[in-house]
Amino acid sequence: MSDRLEFDIVCPNNHNQTVRFSQEEFEESLKSGALVFHCNTCDANWPPSSEEIARFRKQFLN
């Protein structure tokens, strides 16, 4: 069983995207400042919001 989870996110231009990472990957990327989402539809890049970060952390605990 994989320790990676899938999360649905929406880019700033309202395109649905799915990201996958483990809790360790998520926390390490967040600490290093390297966590930036990318939309394959419109090529936008954006950092996660504080609400998304909280939602992801909650999912990892479940």
Side-chain angles (χ1 to χ4, degrees), residues 4 20-30 35:
R4 297 183 92 194
R20 294 171 192 84
F21 35 70
S22 68
Q23 184 173 11
E24 184 177 328
E25 290 170 330
F26 173 73
E27 293 296 342
E28 285 180 12
S29 294
L30 198 58
L35 185 57

Side-chain angles (χ1 to χ4, degrees), residues 41-61:
T41 304
C42 68
D43 210 31
N45 293 306
W46 72 100
S49 68
S50 55
E51 292 84 12
E52 288 172 318
I53 292 169
R55 181 171 53 100
F56 296 160
R57 284 181 170 153
K58 185 177 180 180
Q59 286 285 330
F60 284 122
L61 294 176

Side-chain angles (χ1 to χ4, degrees), residues 9 11-12 17-19 36-47:
I9 59 173
C11 89
Q17 301 291 312
T18 301
V19 294
V36 176
F37 297 137
H38 176 77
C39 179
N40 295 323
T41 304
C42 68
D43 210 31
N45 293 306
W46 72 100

